[in-house]
């Protein structure tokens, strides 16, 4: 009787909760309508200052739900309508010859208090003070640009005078709830994406430039640094400190992991020195920390070559040096990797993935240290 009564009570509590969740989800979905290429036309077609029928349509940035419609609407005239969720931020689409943000011109739109604003910007760098409003190489058709917010989405519509728009499109979205001020200075974008675009076929492919969805040099540099300095080096430390009971295999494992980490780290450093910072903030700090990591790991390699014999009187001091310089290099590397991810405005998947690794590594080190303490007490 008791178990049956308990089960009945759970069911009576569960069903109302499930109903409330369903009602809440329905309300949210009604408030935040989505836009898709399967819908019949543009939801704000009556507010767009040009005929928007029979436009090509494609989802150009799934992560941010960016939908682009475009059409060659006249001789040397192209029309565009970009749709994205309205989160109290600006949306932008830039046109580039090589897929690079720097040197491109962008059309940026936002809506505040029911009033939309559309401006062209010339991007000479990646910092806000290097993005100049009302300048650029695009020839916008006068009185044919509008930004409209409807049903939780922002629509940016404009026309260009050009025989054929440049072949690389760059998309950006501003920080949520942070619109440009009265002087139209753009806050640093929250995220960006780019691709090469074929206007005839409507096909998009990964751009080779910075900010693409593929593997530009900045991302290759970051992934190599993360793997070499940020993953392999901490694992190599664990092999030497916590597995000495399996002598001499711990030594071979430690050597193999750390040599691989050093080689991968050198590759990341070479790539990093070849990158253009383009005025990004904190790049000098990131570079200085990277040089410090490179110096400390190089000293570790030199120290191994000059390692004294176990019976030597200076072996104790060598051990102190080797242990503490190695630990310092690991801690600086972890911090610098997170700084680099922040500077590059990387997608959250990379930040979360590396954060999970660091958390697991810290927990594992704490567990091994506790085990060492208890073993010493025994």
């Amino acid at each position: 009787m008791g178990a049956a009564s308990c089960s009945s009570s759970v069911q009576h509590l569960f069903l109302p909760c499930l109903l409330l969740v369903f009602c809440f989800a329905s309300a949210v979905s009604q408030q935040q309508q989505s836009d898709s290429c399967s819908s019949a036309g543009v939801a704000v077609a009556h507010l767009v200052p040009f005929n928007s029928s029979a436009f090509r349509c494609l989802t150009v940035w799934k992560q941010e739900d960016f939908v682009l419609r475009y059409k060659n609407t006249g001789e040397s005239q192209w029309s565009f309508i970009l749709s994205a969720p309205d989160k109290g931020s600006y949306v932008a689409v830039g046109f580039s010859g090589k897929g690079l943000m720097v040197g491109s011109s962008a059309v940026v739109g936002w809506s505040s208090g029911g009033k939309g604003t559309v401006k062209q910007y010339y991007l000479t760098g990646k910092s806000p003070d290097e993005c100049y409003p009302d300048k650029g190489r695009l020839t916008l058709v006068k009185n044919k640009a509008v930004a409209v917010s409807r049903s939780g989405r922002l629509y940016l519509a404009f026309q260009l005078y050009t025989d054929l728009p440049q072949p690389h499109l760059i998309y950006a979205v501003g920080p949520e709830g942070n619109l440009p001020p009265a002087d139209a200075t753009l806050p640093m974008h929250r995220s960006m994406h780019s691709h090469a675009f074929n206007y005839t076929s409507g096909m998009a492919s990964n751009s080779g430039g910075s900010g693409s969805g593929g593997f530009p040099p900045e991302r290759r540099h970051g992934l190599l640094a993360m793997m070499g300095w940020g993953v392999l080096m901490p694992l190599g430390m664990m092999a030497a400190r916590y597995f000495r009971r399996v002598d001499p295999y711990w030594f071979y494992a430690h050597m193999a992991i750390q040599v691989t980490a050093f080689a991968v780290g050198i590759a990341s450093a070479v790539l990093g020195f070849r990158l253009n910072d383009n005025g990004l903030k904190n790049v000098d700090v990131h570079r200085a920390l990277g040089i410090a990591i490179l110096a400390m790991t190089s000293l570790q390699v030199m120290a191994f070559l000059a390692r004294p014999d176990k019976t030597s009187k200076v072996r104790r001091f060598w051990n102190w040096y080797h242990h503490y310089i190695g630990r310092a290099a690991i801690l600086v590397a972890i911090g610098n990797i997170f700084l680099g991810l922040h500077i590059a405005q990387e997608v959250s998947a990379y930040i979360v993935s590396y954060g999970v690794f660091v958390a697991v590594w810290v927990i594992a080190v704490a567990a091994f240290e506790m085990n060492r303490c208890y073993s010493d007490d025994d």
Side-chain angles (χ1 to χ4, degrees), residues 150-171:
R150 286 292 185 277
S151 302
R153 291 190 71 84
L154 182 64
Y155 296 84
L156 172 61
F158 59 93
Q159 288 185 320
L160 299 178
Y161 282 128
T162 180
D163 291 333
L164 185 68
Q166 289 182 301
H168 295 269
L169 297 183
I170 304 172
Y171 308 96

Side-chain angles (χ1 to χ4, degrees), residues 259-277:
V259 167
T260 304
F262 185 72
V264 175
I266 288 292
S268 75
V270 171
L271 263 178
F273 284 125
R274 296 172 61 183
L275 294 177
N276 183 2
D277 58 34

Side-chain angles (χ1 to χ4, degrees), residues 322-343:
H322 184 63
H323 295 167
Y324 289 110
I325 293 295
R327 293 166 189 170
I330 290 172
L331 294 177
V332 174
I334 291 174
N336 204 32
I337 288 169
F338 280 116
L339 176 60
L341 290 170
H342 173 72
I343 291 172

Side-chain angles (χ1 to χ4, degrees), residues 104-147:
S104 65
S105 300
V107 180
V108 183
W110 63 90
S111 178
S112 177
K115 181 182 178 181
T117 301
V118 180
K119 284 185 176 293
Q120 181 181 180
Y121 285 78
Y122 186 52
L123 312 178
T124 64
K126 294 185 178 181
S127 60
D129 58 353
E130 293 177 306
C131 301
Y132 299 102
D134 301 318
K135 295 184 181 297
R137 299 175 180 176
L138 303 175
T139 305
L140 292 171
V141 180
K142 191 175 181 180
N143 299 324
K144 297 294 183 180
V146 66

Side-chain angles (χ1 to χ4, degrees), residues 14 20 28 45 92 94 136 184 206 238 244 280 284 313 329 338 367 372:
F14 178 75
L20 285 173
V28 171
N206 286 338
M238 293 182 69
R244 287 180 176 267
L280 287 174
D284 290 339
K313 293 181 179 180
F338 280 116
R372 281 169 58 93

Side-chain angles (χ1 to χ4, degrees), residues 163-233:
D163 291 333
L164 185 68
Q166 289 182 301
H168 295 269
L169 297 183
I170 304 172
Y171 308 96
V173 58
E176 295 184 16
N178 188 1
L179 294 174
D183 63 359
T185 299
L186 285 181
M188 178 66 75
H189 56 263
R190 174 170 57 81
S191 186
M192 65 178 294
H193 173 72
S194 74
H195 57 219
F197 193 71
N198 186 315
Y199 293 92
T200 302
S201 65
M203 297 296 292
S205 59
N206 286 338
S207 170
S210 176
S212 72
F215 285 87
E218 293 87 351
R219 183 167 290 177
R220 290 197 295 270
H221 160 70
L223 290 175
L224 286 172
M226 187 187 299
M227 182 56 63
W229 304 139
V231 174
L232 291 176
M233 196 160 61

